[in-house]
Protein backbone atom coordinates (compact mmCIF):
# COMPACT_ATOMS: atom_id res chain seq x y z
CA UNK A 1 0.00 0.00 0.00
CA UNK A 2 1.49 3.30 -1.02
CA UNK A 3 0.80 6.00 1.48
CA UNK A 4 1.04 9.47 0.09
CA UNK A 5 -0.05 11.92 2.75
CA UNK A 6 0.76 15.08 0.89
CA UNK A 7 2.17 16.00 -2.45
CA UNK A 8 5.46 17.68 -1.95
CA UNK A 9 7.30 19.28 -4.80
CA UNK A 10 11.02 19.40 -4.18
CA UNK A 11 13.94 20.26 -6.35
CA UNK A 12 13.67 17.18 -8.55
CA UNK A 13 12.09 18.67 -11.61
CA UNK A 14 8.66 18.82 -10.03
CA UNK A 15 8.55 15.12 -9.20
CA UNK A 16 6.68 14.41 -5.98
CA UNK A 17 9.13 13.05 -3.42
CA UNK A 18 6.92 11.62 -0.73
CA UNK A 19 7.49 8.22 0.82
CA UNK A 20 6.01 5.60 -1.45
CA UNK A 21 6.67 2.28 0.32
CA UNK A 22 7.41 -1.16 -1.03
CA UNK A 23 4.88 -3.10 -3.03
CA UNK A 24 5.50 -6.36 -1.16
CA UNK A 25 5.37 -7.53 2.45
CA UNK A 26 8.30 -7.29 4.86
CA UNK A 27 8.34 -11.07 5.33
CA UNK A 28 8.50 -11.74 1.59
CA UNK A 29 11.33 -9.26 1.03
CA UNK A 30 13.35 -10.33 4.10
CA UNK A 31 13.04 -13.91 2.88
CA UNK A 32 14.19 -12.99 -0.61
CA UNK A 33 17.41 -11.53 0.81
CA UNK A 34 18.13 -13.91 3.68
CA UNK A 35 17.61 -17.09 1.67
CA UNK A 36 19.06 -15.71 -1.52
CA UNK A 37 15.84 -16.40 -3.41
CA UNK A 38 15.94 -13.47 -5.79
CA UNK A 39 18.54 -11.40 -7.62
CA UNK A 40 19.66 -8.30 -5.68
CA UNK A 41 20.62 -4.95 -7.17
CA UNK A 42 20.19 -3.23 -10.47
CA UNK A 43 20.20 0.09 -12.24
CA UNK A 44 19.39 3.29 -10.38
CA UNK A 45 19.51 6.97 -11.12
CA UNK A 46 19.47 9.19 -8.06
CA UNK A 47 20.78 12.53 -6.80
CA UNK A 48 23.73 12.65 -4.42
CA UNK A 49 24.13 14.93 -1.40
CA UNK A 50 25.97 17.49 -3.52
CA UNK A 51 23.05 17.65 -5.96
CA UNK A 52 24.76 15.63 -8.70
CA UNK A 53 22.92 12.91 -10.65
CA UNK A 54 24.44 9.50 -9.95
CA UNK A 55 23.73 6.14 -11.52
CA UNK A 56 24.93 2.67 -10.61
CA UNK A 57 27.25 2.83 -13.64
CA UNK A 58 29.24 5.67 -12.03
CA UNK A 59 30.55 3.21 -9.46
CA UNK A 60 31.80 0.42 -11.71
CA UNK A 61 35.30 -0.70 -10.78
CA UNK A 62 34.68 -0.27 -7.05
CA UNK A 63 33.14 -2.50 -4.44
CA UNK A 64 29.92 -0.97 -3.11
CA UNK A 65 28.43 -1.03 0.36
CA UNK A 66 24.79 -0.11 -0.22
CA UNK A 67 22.55 0.79 2.70
CA UNK A 68 18.94 2.00 2.60
CA UNK A 69 17.51 4.00 5.49
CA UNK A 70 16.55 7.51 6.49
CA UNK A 71 18.23 10.24 8.50
CA UNK A 72 15.45 10.58 11.08
CA UNK A 73 15.88 6.90 11.99
CA UNK A 74 16.55 6.93 15.75
CA UNK A 75 18.96 4.05 16.15
CA UNK A 76 19.33 1.29 13.55
CA UNK A 77 20.49 3.47 10.66
CA UNK A 78 23.05 5.50 12.65
CA UNK A 79 24.43 2.32 14.24
CA UNK A 80 24.89 0.58 10.90
CA UNK A 81 26.27 3.70 9.21
CA UNK A 82 28.73 4.05 12.06
CA UNK A 83 29.86 0.44 11.50
CA UNK A 84 30.28 1.17 7.79
CA UNK A 85 32.36 4.27 8.60
CA UNK A 86 34.54 2.35 11.06
CA UNK A 87 35.00 -0.47 8.53
CA UNK A 88 36.20 2.11 5.98
CA UNK A 89 38.73 3.41 8.52
CA UNK A 90 39.91 -0.10 9.34
CA UNK A 91 40.43 -0.89 5.65
CA UNK A 92 43.11 1.78 5.52
CA UNK A 93 44.49 2.21 1.99
CA UNK A 94 42.18 -0.56 0.73
CA UNK A 95 39.21 1.70 1.43
CA UNK A 96 40.00 3.32 -1.93
CA UNK A 97 38.49 0.20 -3.53
CA UNK A 98 35.21 0.57 -1.63
CA UNK A 99 32.41 3.10 -2.04
CA UNK A 100 29.73 3.27 0.67
CA UNK A 101 26.28 4.51 -0.41
CA UNK A 102 23.39 5.59 1.79
CA UNK A 103 20.08 5.62 -0.12
CA UNK A 104 17.27 7.40 1.67
CA UNK A 105 13.81 5.85 1.86
CA UNK A 106 12.45 9.22 3.00
CA UNK A 107 13.10 11.60 0.10
CA UNK A 108 10.44 13.96 1.41
CA UNK A 109 12.63 14.99 4.36
CA UNK A 110 16.03 13.74 3.16
CA UNK A 111 16.76 16.30 0.50
CA UNK A 112 20.27 16.57 -0.96
CA UNK A 113 20.87 19.53 1.37
CA UNK A 114 19.77 17.54 4.39
CA UNK A 115 21.88 14.51 3.41
CA UNK A 116 24.88 16.84 3.04
CA UNK A 117 24.58 17.60 6.77
CA UNK A 118 24.14 13.96 7.69
CA UNK A 119 26.49 11.68 5.73
CA UNK A 120 29.82 13.34 6.73
CA UNK A 121 29.07 12.44 10.37
CA UNK A 122 29.77 8.81 9.49
CA UNK A 123 32.55 8.91 6.90
CA UNK A 124 33.95 11.49 4.49
CA UNK A 125 33.56 9.02 1.62
CA UNK A 126 29.94 8.12 2.36
CA UNK A 127 27.66 9.28 -0.46
CA UNK A 128 24.03 10.07 0.36
CA UNK A 129 21.48 9.45 -2.40
CA UNK A 130 17.97 10.82 -2.73
CA UNK A 131 15.57 11.48 -5.60
CA UNK A 132 11.94 11.42 -6.59
CA UNK A 133 9.65 8.93 -4.86
CA UNK A 134 9.47 6.77 -8.00
CA UNK A 135 13.26 6.61 -8.42
CA UNK A 136 13.71 5.69 -4.75
CA UNK A 137 10.96 3.09 -5.07
CA UNK A 138 12.67 1.50 -8.11
CA UNK A 139 16.02 1.32 -6.32
CA UNK A 140 14.44 -0.15 -3.17
CA UNK A 141 12.55 -2.77 -5.20
CA UNK A 142 15.74 -3.79 -7.00
CA UNK A 143 17.48 -4.38 -3.68
CA UNK A 144 14.41 -6.12 -2.18
CA UNK A 145 14.16 -3.45 0.52
CA UNK A 146 11.00 -3.27 2.59
CA UNK A 147 9.88 0.21 3.63
CA UNK A 148 6.66 1.78 4.74
CA UNK A 149 5.67 5.18 6.06
CA UNK A 150 4.10 5.04 9.52
CA UNK A 151 2.36 8.14 10.83
CA UNK A 152 2.79 8.80 14.55
CA UNK A 153 -0.45 10.71 14.91
CA UNK A 154 -3.19 11.27 12.43
CA UNK A 155 -3.23 14.93 13.40
CA UNK A 156 0.42 15.71 12.74
CA UNK A 157 2.79 15.47 9.82
CA UNK A 158 5.22 13.53 11.97
CA UNK A 159 6.05 10.06 10.71
CA UNK A 160 8.68 7.35 10.76
CA UNK A 161 9.67 4.86 8.08
CA UNK A 162 9.72 1.16 8.85
CA UNK A 163 12.39 -0.51 6.78
CA UNK A 164 14.55 -3.57 6.38
CA UNK A 165 18.18 -2.76 7.10
CA UNK A 166 20.57 -5.01 5.24
CA UNK A 167 23.94 -3.74 4.11
CA UNK A 168 24.59 -5.01 0.58
CA UNK A 169 28.04 -5.74 -0.79
CA UNK A 170 28.19 -5.28 -4.55
CA UNK A 171 31.06 -6.20 -6.86
CA UNK A 172 33.04 -4.06 -9.29
CA UNK A 173 30.68 -4.79 -12.18
CA UNK A 174 27.54 -4.22 -10.11
CA UNK A 175 27.04 -7.90 -9.29
CA UNK A 176 25.67 -8.87 -5.91
CA UNK A 177 28.20 -10.44 -3.53
CA UNK A 178 26.23 -10.71 -0.30
CA UNK A 179 24.60 -8.91 2.60
CA UNK A 180 25.30 -8.03 6.22
CA UNK A 181 22.38 -8.12 8.65
CA UNK A 182 21.62 -5.05 10.77
CA UNK A 183 23.99 -4.79 13.73
CA UNK A 184 26.99 -6.25 11.89
CA UNK A 185 30.24 -4.99 13.42
CA UNK A 186 32.89 -3.07 11.51
CA UNK A 187 35.28 -6.01 11.97
CA UNK A 188 32.79 -8.42 10.38
CA UNK A 189 32.22 -6.03 7.47
CA UNK A 190 35.98 -5.76 6.89
CA UNK A 191 36.27 -9.55 7.10
CA UNK A 192 33.70 -10.02 4.36
CA UNK A 193 35.20 -7.33 2.12
CA UNK A 194 38.80 -8.57 2.35
CA UNK A 195 38.49 -11.60 0.03
CA UNK A 196 37.15 -9.26 -2.66
CA UNK A 197 39.98 -6.73 -2.53
CA UNK A 198 42.54 -6.52 -5.31
CA UNK A 199 45.92 -7.41 -3.82
CA UNK A 200 47.72 -4.63 -5.69
CA UNK A 201 51.41 -3.88 -5.36
CA UNK A 202 52.88 -4.90 -2.01
CA UNK A 203 54.43 -2.08 -0.05
NI1 LIG B 1 16.69 3.03 9.99
Amino acid sequence: MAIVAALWFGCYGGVAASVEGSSRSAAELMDAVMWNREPIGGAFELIDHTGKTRSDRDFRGRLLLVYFGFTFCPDICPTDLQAIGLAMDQLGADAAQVQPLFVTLDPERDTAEHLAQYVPMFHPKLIGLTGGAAAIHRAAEAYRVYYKRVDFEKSTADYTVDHSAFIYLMGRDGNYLGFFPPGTSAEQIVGMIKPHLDAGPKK
Side-chain angles (χ1 to χ4, degrees):
M1 178 169 63
I3 301 169
V4 181
L7 277 183
W8 181 88
F9 294 94
C11 51
Y12 313 113
V15 179
S18 31
V19 179
E20 199 164 288
S22 35
S23 56
R24 298 159 67 190
S25 74
E28 205 180 334
L29 290 165
M30 302 278 274
D31 238 49
V33 177
M34 291 204 298
W35 305 108
N36 211 18
R37 292 194 211 280
E38 296 176 22
I40 305 286
F44 61 78
E45 191 160 288
L46 297 166
I47 295 149
D48 76 13
H49 64 275
T50 70
K52 207 170 127 193
T53 301
R54 299 285 199 141
S55 84
D56 55 300
R57 296 177 305 279
D58 297 344
F59 304 109
R60 293 291 184 269
R62 270 173 285 174
L63 298 168
L64 290 183
L65 286 172
V66 186
Y67 188 73
F68 289 77
F70 68 114
T71 68
F72 289 83
C73 181
D75 49 16
I76 310 292
C77 287
T79 304
D80 286 337
L81 288 171
Q82 205 167 22
I84 289 171
L86 283 171
M88 291 296 286
D89 288 341
Q90 290 175 16
L91 281 165
D94 289 331
Q97 299 182 40
V98 184
Q99 177 60 61
L101 302 177
F102 173 64
V103 185
T104 183
L105 296 167
D106 183 12
E108 182 173 340
R109 291 181 296 194
D110 291 343
T111 59
E113 294 76 13
H114 187 71
L115 288 173
Q117 306 284 313
Y118 185 75
V119 288
M121 295 198 286
F122 300 98
H123 199 271
K125 271 193 70 179
L126 180 62
I127 293 178
L129 295 170
T130 186
I136 294 291
H137 181 78
R138 271 194 303 275
E141 297 275 291
Y143 281 83
R144 317 296 169 196
V145 172
Y146 172 77
Y147 70 117
K148 185 182 193 293
R149 174 181 167 137
V150 180
D151 291 294
F152 285 132
E153 301 259 351
K154 288 272 175 286
S155 55
T156 69
D158 206 9
Y159 62 92
T160 187
V161 183
D162 280 353
H163 66 99
S164 54
F166 296 113
I167 305 167
Y168 302 96
L169 178 62
M170 309 301 288
R172 291 179 174 76
D173 47 4
N175 56 312
Y176 172 63
L177 296 176
F179 72 90
F180 310 95
T184 299
S185 71
E187 289 73 19
Q188 287 169 304
I189 294 174
V190 169
M192 265 186 75
I193 289 175
K194 276 213 162 127
H196 301 286
L197 292 171
D198 279 340
K202 288 272 172 284
K203 287 171 213 112

